[in-house]
């Protein structure tokens, strides 16, 4: 039996290339570079080859920093090579600087982006930009951030000189954060020192996001020591007692208001080691009025039949929920999504227009509360950036959005719903990639092996034929689930029966 380190998950490979990342023979990587010069070449899908340093592990989809001309830029690892291209002199190939973010694109998500690029004849980098929030991969500086809680006492004893100097600079910074360019200017041989700190997990490396899309931060006060009234003034003891009663942690501005204290008083408590005052990230979200809680409604027989068909689906399947306006499709969506959330998974609901989003969002918020978030182009860039990052966390949630939300990075996606699937606004025509969200949703459902529900009062001809065809094939044959298609019950039961007149209450 082979050693575990030689085991790997098979991934799509191309001629003379491999996606295996644990083999030591893979010492070159081809990347897409995010720069205006590289974009001009992108019509030919030009990739750039770099050498991998011995101690650097890279896999496709990782965000790297690479030297490009006189700059160091962000790049995306596309594939690993056993040998560099024959037309390149090995001595002219430059080294990858560092892995900025590992596992940024999960395998199935990365395969989806490549499929969109191939099918719509669009440069891969343009597809990547369409999938990500605005400005996330624009040219920006690499930064190094201290991770104080990971650093043990007496840490500098074990470090080489350059690592120790970097650590001291970061510890002396107010935010524990500096640009890599600044650190390099201050520390000779800084690259080796940084590698050591990264390996120990005492610092992290990242690409600074554009100013208009930076995380929003707020100062928080945390109680970290038992209250000893002997060494405290009565006022200081009172403030700590209030903080303790509030659970030991409050936003700085809230604590100042509650105690009617000054920041100077809190600074004194911090110096005595009773509290810490740190910046914490807070997520920006669209401010929506709270909805009165709503419970699941009693379904009509037709709605119940449609819901049963959807709930029985295992893995990839495509069903058409066919019903006139007001027939109860939304209630079927809601009750189909509820068990998905209970399983710790998420659901993606696509609607054709931004104007329809509030109507649907109100229904979903009333049922699922804070687990619902929206994602579309009308949000501010900060809201889109934060919502996008919140989705990456993997918590069970319902994302409602227009066609661009088909790329929502939900790692545990259990169901995709495309409401009003016939609507022409699901087709992107204003700029590349000129994708159709229905096609992308179908590919995504196939890649992650989850059901896709298409809802419409007037289904598109393509969906009608495809779903019925899949049902007939299933009925003729195979006893398998679907296409794993919709099946006769999937296209008629969840469609014609399922919501044609499926109750006025939905």
């Amino acid at each position: 039996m082979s050693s575990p380190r030689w085991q790997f998950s098979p991934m799509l490979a191309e001629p003379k290339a491999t996606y295996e990342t644990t083999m030591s023979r893979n010492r070159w990587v081809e990347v897409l570079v995010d720069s205006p010069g590289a974009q001009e070449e992108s019509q030919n899908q030009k990739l750039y080859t770099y050498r991998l340093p011995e101690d650097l592990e890279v896999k496709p989809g990782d965000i790297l920093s690479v030297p490009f001309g006189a700059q160091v830029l962000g790049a995306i690892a596309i594939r690993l090579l056993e040998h560099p291209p024959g037309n390149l002199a090995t001595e002219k190939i430059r080294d990858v600087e560092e892995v900025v973010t590992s596992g940024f694109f999960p395998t199935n998500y990365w395969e989806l982006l490549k499929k969109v690029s191939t099918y719509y004849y669009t440069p891969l980098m343009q597809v990547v930009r369409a999938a990500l929030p605005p400005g996330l991969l624009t040219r920006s500086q690499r930064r190094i951030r201290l991770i104080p809680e990971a650093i043990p006492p007496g840490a500098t004893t074990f470090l080489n000189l350059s690592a120790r100097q970097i650590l001291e600079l970061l510890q002396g910074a107010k935010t524990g954060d500096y640009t890599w360019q600044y650190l390099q200017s201050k520390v000779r041989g800084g690259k080796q020192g940084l590698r050591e700190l990264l390996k120990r997990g005492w610092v992290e490396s990242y690409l600074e996001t554009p100013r208009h899309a930076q995380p929003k931060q707020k100062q928080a006060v945390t109680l970290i020591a038992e209250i000893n009234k002997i060494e405290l003034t009565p006022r200081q003891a009172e403030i700590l007692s209030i903080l303790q009663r509030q659970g030991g942690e409050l936003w700085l501005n809230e604590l100042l208001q509650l105690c009617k204290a000054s920041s100077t008083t809190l600074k004194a408590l911090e110096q005595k080691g009773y509290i810490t005052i740190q910046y914490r990230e807070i997520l920006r979200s669209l401010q929506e009025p709270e909805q009165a809680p709503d419970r699941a409604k009693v379904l009509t027989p037709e709605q119940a039949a449609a819901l049963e068909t959807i709930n029985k689906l295992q893995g990839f399947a495509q069903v058409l929920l066919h019903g006139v306006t007001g027939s109860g499709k939304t209630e079927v969506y809601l009750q189909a999504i509820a068990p998905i959330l209970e399983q710790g998974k998420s659901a993606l609901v696509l609607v054709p227009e931004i104007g329809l989003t509030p109507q649907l969002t109100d229904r979903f918020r009333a049922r699922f509360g804070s687990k619902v978030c929206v994602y579309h182009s009308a949000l501010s860039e900060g809201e889109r950036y934060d919502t996008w990052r919140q989705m990456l966390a993997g918590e069970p949630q319902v994302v409602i959005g227009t066609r661009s939300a088909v790329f929502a990075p939900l790692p545990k996606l259990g169901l995709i719903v495309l409401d009003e699937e016939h609507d022409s606004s699901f087709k992107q025509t204003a700029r590349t990639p000129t994708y159709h969200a229905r096609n992308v949703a179908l590919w995504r459902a196939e890649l992650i092996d989850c059901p896709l529900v298409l809802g419409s009062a007037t289904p598109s001809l393509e969906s009608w034929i495809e779903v019925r065809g899949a049902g007939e094939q299933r009925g003729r044959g195979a006893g398998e689930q679907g296409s794993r298609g919709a099946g006769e019950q999937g296209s008629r039961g969840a469609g014609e029966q399922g919501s044609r007149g499926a109750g006025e209450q939905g």
Side-chain angles (χ1 to χ4, degrees):
M1 187 171 180
S2 59
S3 170
R5 78 180 185 88
W6 292 95
Q7 295 177 0
F8 57 90
S9 299
M11 297 179 69
L12 179 64
E14 297 185 18
K16 298 181 181 178
T18 176
Y19 286 87
E20 305 162 20
T21 61
T22 57
M23 300 290 198
S24 60
R25 66 175 182 267
N26 295 321
R27 298 317 315 157
W28 289 271
V29 61
E30 288 189 327
V31 306
L32 278 171
V33 179
D34 188 31
S35 81
Q39 291 167 33
E40 292 169 7
E41 300 280 0
S42 65
Q43 294 301 324
N44 300 318
Q45 291 287 278
K46 182 168 182 177
L47 302 177
Y48 294 85
T49 303
Y50 288 85
R51 180 186 288 105
L52 290 176
E54 283 295 326
D55 55 350
L56 210 59
E57 292 187 8
V58 171
K59 60 182 177 297
D62 285 354
I63 304 296
L64 313 176
S65 61
V66 298
F68 192 80
Q71 308 173 79
V72 175
L73 301 178
I76 302 171
I78 301 299
R79 59 175 173 258
L80 303 176
L81 304 175
E82 295 182 16
H83 308 285
N87 61 344
L88 276 180
T90 305
E91 63 273 11
K92 292 186 177 180
I93 300 177
R94 304 171 76 178
D95 284 4
V96 170
E97 285 278 324
E98 197 56 73
V99 177
V100 177
T101 306
S102 183
F104 189 79
F105 294 104
T107 302
N108 57 46
Y109 191 85
W110 186 237
E111 293 302 317
L112 176 69
L113 300 184
K114 292 198 294 184
K115 187 172 183 67
V116 173
S117 171
T118 301
Y119 186 86
Y120 291 108
Y121 295 95
T122 303
L124 183 56
M125 185 56 82
Q126 288 185 240
V127 178
V128 170
R129 286 198 186 90
L132 302 182
L136 193 66
L137 284 183
T138 54
R139 282 188 295 170
S140 50
Q141 292 183 328
R142 182 186 179 195
R143 297 187 70 90
I144 309 301
R145 180 190 292 126
L146 192 67
I147 307 177
E149 62 274 15
I151 303 175
T156 55
T157 307
F158 308 101
L159 298 177
N160 63 43
L161 178 60
S162 60
R164 191 182 312 129
Q165 289 174 333
I166 292 173
L167 189 63
E168 289 171 355
L169 283 169
L170 292 172
Q171 288 174 328
K174 186 175 181 180
T175 59
D177 184 290
Y178 273 128
T179 66
W180 175 230
Q181 183 179 8
Y182 173 79
L183 292 173
Q184 280 184 308
S185 70
K186 294 292 185 181
V187 179
R188 179 176 295 181
K191 186 182 293 187
Q192 183 182 354
L194 177 62
R195 288 268 172 85
E196 182 172 349
L197 293 173
L198 287 168
K199 280 185 176 180
R200 292 178 181 273
W202 296 353
V203 301
E204 61 179 341
S205 170
Y206 68 100
L207 284 182
E208 181 184 33
T209 53
R211 290 187 178 182
H212 54 266
Q214 284 185 351
K216 185 177 180 180
Q217 295 188 325
K218 192 174 179 180
Q219 284 186 300
V221 183
T222 306
L223 182 65
I224 59 172
E226 293 291 329
I227 301 174
N228 182 354
K229 294 185 178 180
I230 296 176
E231 60 182 30
L232 295 170
T233 67
R235 180 62 173 146
Q236 289 175 335
E238 179 189 5
I239 292 172
L240 292 179
S241 297
I242 292 173
L243 182 59
Q244 190 176 51
R245 289 197 296 271
Q246 295 295 322
E249 189 168 72
L250 272 179
W251 294 118
L252 175 63
N253 61 340
E254 292 179 5
L255 181 61
L256 292 175
Q257 291 177 5
L258 193 62
C259 299
K260 294 182 172 54
S262 68
S263 56
T264 304
T265 306
L266 295 184
K267 282 291 182 183
L269 285 170
E270 186 178 34
Q271 290 172 357
K272 288 184 176 182
Y274 282 94
I275 63 173
T276 60
I277 303 174
Q278 294 179 318
Y279 278 94
R280 298 283 182 83
E281 184 180 336
I282 57 174
L283 294 174
R284 290 158 288 209
S285 60
L286 198 61
Q287 298 301 310
E288 298 280 358
E290 290 189 10
Q291 300 295 320
D294 175 42
R295 294 184 178 180
K297 296 178 172 57
V298 177
L299 300 179
T300 66
E302 292 82 6
Q303 286 174 310
L307 180 62
E308 182 182 8
T309 297
I310 296 171
N311 286 343
K312 283 182 178 178
L313 299 175
Q314 299 293 325
F316 169 66
Q318 183 180 192
V319 296
L320 177 62
L321 190 61
H322 177 210
V324 299
T325 303
S327 60
K329 296 190 296 295
T330 301
E331 184 62 30
V332 175
Y333 299 155
L334 288 163
Q335 296 199 28
I337 288 172
I340 298 294
L341 297 176
E342 290 174 2
Q343 295 166 24
K345 298 180 180 180
S346 295
L348 174 61
V349 181
L350 302 176
V351 295
E353 296 176 16
I354 294 172
L356 296 177
T357 308
Q359 305 168 25
L360 200 64
T361 302
D362 287 349
R363 290 283 305 276
F364 275 78
R365 285 191 194 280
R367 190 69 56 89
F368 302 125
S370 60
K371 291 182 179 180
V372 178
C373 62
V374 296
Y375 188 78
H376 51 68
S377 59
L379 300 178
S380 72
E381 289 191 354
E383 288 168 344
R384 289 183 73 184
Y385 174 69
D386 283 353
T387 302
W388 188 86
R389 289 170 54 257
Q390 183 179 349
M391 289 187 269
L392 283 174
E395 295 298 321
Q397 55 194 296
V398 183
V399 175
I400 302 174
T402 50
R403 62 174 176 257
S404 63
V406 73
F407 296 110
L410 294 163
K412 298 176 184 177
L413 188 52
L415 179 68
I416 302 175
V417 174
L418 201 75
D419 193 34
E420 305 297 337
E421 63 85 27
H422 62 277
D423 197 285
S424 60
S425 67
F426 280 122
K427 172 70 174 176
Q428 165 70 278
T429 57
R431 58 186 179 275
T432 55
T434 53
Y435 64 91
H436 199 301
R438 184 177 60 224
N439 290 342
V440 181
L442 176 62
W443 299 334
R444 189 165 189 188
E446 289 178 316
L447 285 167
I448 62 176
D449 200 27
C450 85
L452 169 65
V453 177
L454 304 174
S456 179
T458 55
S460 63
L461 184 60
E462 303 95 313
S463 296
W464 184 262
I465 292 174
E466 184 175 353
V467 173
R468 286 181 65 88
E472 289 169 4
Q473 183 178 9
R474 177 197 174 196
R476 274 197 305 269
E480 294 185 279
Q481 185 155 11
S483 62
R484 274 194 318 257
E488 282 299 312
Q489 190 179 5
S491 59
R492 292 189 186 175
E496 296 172 27
Q497 286 184 354
S499 43
R500 186 180 57 203
E504 299 302 319
Q505 54 188 318

